[in-house]
Amino acid sequence: MSEPLTVPSTLAHRIEQLLPAARAGRLGHLRRGIEKEGLRVEASGHIVQTPHPEALGSKLTHPSITTDYSESLLEYITPVFCQPRAALAFLADLHAYSYRHMDSEWIWPASMPSKLSGNDSVPIADFGSSNSGVMKHVYRKGLDVRYGRIMQAIAGVHYNVSLPDEMWQALRDVEGQTETPFNDYRSTRYFGLIRNFRRHSWLLLYLFGASPAIDKSFLDGRRVPDKLEPLGDDTYVAPFATTLRMSDLGYQNKVQEQLKICFNSLSNYVNTLRNAISTPWPDYQALGVNEGGDWRQLNANILQIENEYYSDIRPKRVASQGETPSQALEARGVEYIEVRCLDLNPFDPLGVTETQMRFLDTFLMWCLLSDSPWISDEECDHLDDNRRLVVERGRDPALRLSNNGEAIGVREWGEQIVGDMQSVAELLDAAEDGTPHLDALAALAPRLQDAALTPSAQLLERMRGEGASFNDVVLSLAKEQADRLRRQTSTTLDDALLAQQAVTSHQQQRDMEAVDEPRFDDFMADYFARARESRAITPLSAGEAS
């Protein structure tokens, strides 16, 4: 590896001051939760048209098993765990239980979807007749008329991370910010983490991107983009791409580009989103909203609701009854962050590994502890360019990125970052048995030296080596993984508990639907009236940049 960057004195000082408390076990552990999506497919590799399996419970009310956009797109949600292995064990039990209750269906282990038969072959999820269920369904109808359903068949992993209060208190002491209200301090520092994440998330796209190919049905008759070339009769690939999921083929929205959210402050973030859910957009107005009782979308604004904003990372706070996500942030500050740029790892049945989680934890802590000035509009554009280049050409040895105006190669810059992360890994390992964070850096660093080791390259190599299509290779992986999971013995959740949760969730949905609710029109009018209200209690302190 090349020589690492000199660790900034502020980073070195923070780590030096935190190490004694970490070694004494006074900082606690990071807290992690996983949301993992996966399409259900038939034996041929086509997306299924069957309803969400009854045995998996109500997707409206089940705490751990739901769907995302489509009736066919399973989503698993773990509780918060202090150890990555525990979160993965919970996730594995959800998969195993599902496979024992799915007849001749498989969970697609890749981010880009299986074979489709046009837009309407992606069924929109149905959440029942309660107002909240209808709202979820109409929101998804709105995504269809705005962007089409095919984009909504893409899957990924969302990784949720928070620091324990003990760690925040120690960091606040180190930085001499004890007079700053705790929630204000934590929110400000989380936004500093997010800004550094935005500066360097291209590294995660390179290391973990695993979607360099698509089935030709994904294009649904559209012109083949210049970045793609055919591989056999049914597959298109981008030879140096890392994650087409994060390209303009995936979750991208040109209307949202005007929002220019660069995460410089909580107030700016909240106000920008609130403005977006209140500002009409002419093209969306032309689509219609409620046409004679047929709801086509929730509204004709830039965003129907805040969840429609696409970003590779989000500040989050668990909302109370009647709160929008932004109102929860306003009222009580940032509670955790959600990393949203991760492809499914097609070579692992859970889509994510412990090594990957340990690397992510170290990366996020490095983003937090390093200096993070505000992002100008000009820098924001450069960051977008870097991400786009890595998405489309990340494994191209000739690729150069822009680091503060200086051209630099992916390998050189990546090795500098990983070198900087060593001291952060040592800090996190001080509270662990062994050195799992340092081990994760050592395990993944070779991918920078040899792009052939990246999952995007490995998936392409398997297709080329077997002379097989994207669909055939991924379906083969799905069936291999299903065999393993069906035989797996549960470690954290037994079938009886999950069966009872399914029964309870169905009853909860029926109870919701039995309540005498207001007309849906009135329900939505009340929702958006409340969504426009500010819930800010006191303004954040002025020094929001770290």
Side-chain angles (χ1 to χ4, degrees):
M1 297 175 63
S2 59
E3 286 294 317
L5 292 170
T6 301
V7 179
S9 59
T10 48
L11 173 61
H13 175 72
R14 288 166 183 151
I15 292 174
E16 180 183 4
Q17 294 298 307
L18 290 172
L19 263 175
R23 289 170 176 156
R26 295 201 303 272
L27 294 188
H29 292 84
L30 300 186
R31 296 167 181 167
R32 313 146 173 100
I34 301 170
E35 301 168 37
K36 187 263 184 184
E37 302 158 351
L39 277 177
R40 291 183 293 120
V41 301
E42 301 172 343
S44 64
H46 282 79
I47 185 175
V48 302
Q49 301 300 304
T50 54
H52 185 69
E54 178 81 8
L56 302 190
S58 163
K59 51 192 173 292
L60 178 66
T61 56
H62 197 287
S64 301
I65 304 175
T66 183
T67 63
D68 192 75
Y69 172 84
S70 173
E71 190 77 7
S72 309
L73 186 56
L74 286 171
E75 181 174 5
Y76 298 115
I77 304 169
T78 76
V80 176
F81 290 96
C82 290
Q83 290 296 333
R85 192 166 298 174
L88 293 172
F90 189 99
L91 191 60
D93 287 349
L94 295 177
H95 280 74
Y97 176 83
S98 298
Y99 266 124
R100 289 193 284 270
H101 292 84
M102 293 196 312
D103 184 26
S104 301
E105 292 181 355
W106 287 266
I107 301 172
W108 191 252
S111 280
M112 300 307 282
S114 62
K115 281 190 176 297
L116 307 172
S117 299
N119 191 69
D120 291 346
S121 69
V122 182
I124 300 175
D126 179 0
F127 294 90
S129 61
S130 68
N131 279 338
S132 58
V134 172
M135 181 179 174
K136 285 177 174 288
H137 182 70
V138 173
Y139 167 62
R140 285 157 174 77
K141 288 177 67 177
L143 297 179
D144 177 20
V145 297
R146 293 178 177 210
Y147 322 117
R149 301 186 192 182
I150 286 178
M151 184 177 85
Q152 318 301 327
I154 297 171
V157 173
H158 295 171
Y159 189 58
N160 302 308
V161 179
S162 65
L163 276 67
D165 287 351
E166 301 93 329
M167 194 176 294
W168 284 120
Q169 296 286 9
L171 187 58
R172 189 165 64 148
D173 290 344
V174 166
E175 296 182 343
Q177 295 290 323
T178 53
E179 298 302 315
T180 304
F182 180 80
N183 283 351
D184 290 3
Y185 172 78
R186 180 172 58 183
S187 294
T188 297
R189 298 295 282 114
Y190 265 133
F191 269 82
L193 181 161
I194 290 171
R195 289 193 296 276
N196 272 339
F197 182 95
R198 303 266 305 163
R199 290 180 170 104
H200 305 102
S201 62
W202 63 264
L203 178 61
L204 304 182
L205 304 179
Y206 173 86
L207 292 173
F208 304 129
S211 54
I214 59 170
D215 186 85
K216 72 175 183 180
S217 64
F218 181 82
L219 295 176
D220 194 25
R222 291 173 290 164
R223 184 186 70 83
V224 179
D226 293 339
K227 67 171 81 55
L228 299 181
E229 59 184 46
L231 181 67
D233 296 332
D234 299 318
T235 302
Y236 286 103
V237 303
F240 292 111
T242 59
T243 168
L244 293 177
R245 168 180 172 264
M246 296 296 292
S247 74
D248 55 7
L249 288 170
Y251 276 100
Q252 303 295 323
N253 180 344
K254 295 188 182 302
V255 174
Q256 292 185 26
E257 289 178 1
Q258 67 172 308
L259 298 178
K260 287 295 180 187
I261 297 178
C262 278
F263 301 93
N264 283 331
S265 71
L266 175 56
S267 58
N268 173 262
Y269 176 78
V270 167
N271 290 333
T272 303
L273 287 183
R274 181 169 290 133
N275 181 66
I277 64 171
S278 305
T279 303
W281 188 254
D283 290 347
Y284 298 158
Q285 290 177 309
L287 297 171
V289 177
N290 180 8
E291 303 296 321
D294 175 22
W295 281 78
R296 299 181 180 177
Q297 51 186 337
L298 294 176
N299 56 48
N301 299 331
I302 295 172
L303 301 178
Q304 297 176 89
I305 55 177
E306 296 166 23
N307 291 353
E308 192 174 341
Y309 172 60
Y310 301 136
S311 175
D312 54 2
I313 188 169
R314 283 180 183 168
K316 299 293 288 285
R317 155 73 63 178
V318 175
S320 301
Q321 183 70 29
E323 277 186 328
T324 67
S326 285
Q327 287 171 333
L329 288 173
E330 253 184 339
R332 297 179 301 284
V334 184
E335 182 178 15
Y336 64 97
I337 53 100
E338 178 187 40
V339 175
R340 301 169 52 84
C341 63
L342 302 176
D343 282 356
L344 295 176
N345 179 348
F347 302 106
D348 187 273
L350 305 182
V352 63
T353 67
E354 181 176 356
T355 296
Q356 184 177 355
M357 292 171 70
R358 295 289 189 178
F359 185 96
L360 286 166
D361 294 342
T362 309
F363 179 80
L364 293 170
M365 279 296 291
W366 175 74
C367 289
L368 174 70
L369 296 177
S370 300
D371 286 346
S372 184
W374 281 25
I375 296 176
S376 67
D377 289 345
E378 181 181 10
E379 184 184 5
C380 200
D381 290 338
H382 288 313
L383 302 185
D384 289 341
D385 288 341
N386 281 346
R387 283 191 294 274
R388 177 182 55 79
L389 288 169
V390 172
V391 160
E392 297 182 356
R393 296 175 44 217
R395 288 178 287 103
D396 183 348
L399 178 63
R400 294 293 180 269
L401 305 179
S402 174
N403 181 14
N404 293 320
E406 299 292 327
I408 187 169
V410 167
R411 173 178 174 174
E412 180 184 0
W413 194 2
E415 289 183 343
Q416 289 175 353
I417 294 171
V418 173
D420 273 3
M421 288 168 59
Q422 299 288 322
S423 59
V424 180
E426 292 171 0
L427 174 67
L428 292 175
D429 282 342
E432 301 284 347
D433 294 328
T435 56
H437 298 91
L438 283 170
D439 294 345
L441 300 191
L444 294 170
R447 295 184 184 181
L448 290 163
Q449 301 158 34
D450 183 0
L453 299 176
T454 60
S456 56
Q458 290 181 328
L459 188 60
L460 283 179
E461 178 57 30
R462 181 154 176 169
M463 286 188 286
R464 289 169 174 151
E466 297 179 3
S469 68
F470 168 70
N471 194 79
D472 288 344
V473 165
V474 178
L475 183 60
S476 175
L477 289 168
K479 293 182 176 179
E480 292 170 12
Q481 293 167 7
D483 289 342
R484 288 172 51 191
L485 288 165
R486 283 193 176 100
R487 295 192 302 268
Q488 177 174 301
T489 302
S490 297
T491 58
T492 61
L493 296 167
D494 60 38
D495 280 13
L497 173 62
L498 286 168
Q500 184 56 54
Q501 284 186 333
V503 171
T504 300
S505 68
H506 284 303
Q507 185 59 51
Q508 288 173 329
Q509 179 173 335
R510 287 191 292 269
D511 291 345
M512 291 173 64
E513 293 170 349
V515 173
D516 186 17
E517 295 186 302
R519 293 172 58 249
F520 185 67
D521 306 48
D522 296 332
F523 172 81
M524 290 310 307
D526 179 67
Y527 174 88
F528 285 116
R530 287 186 288 106
R532 289 189 288 270
E533 297 173 358
S534 172
R535 298 291 174 90
I537 297 174
T538 56
L540 285 178
S541 51
E544 288 192 295
S546 59

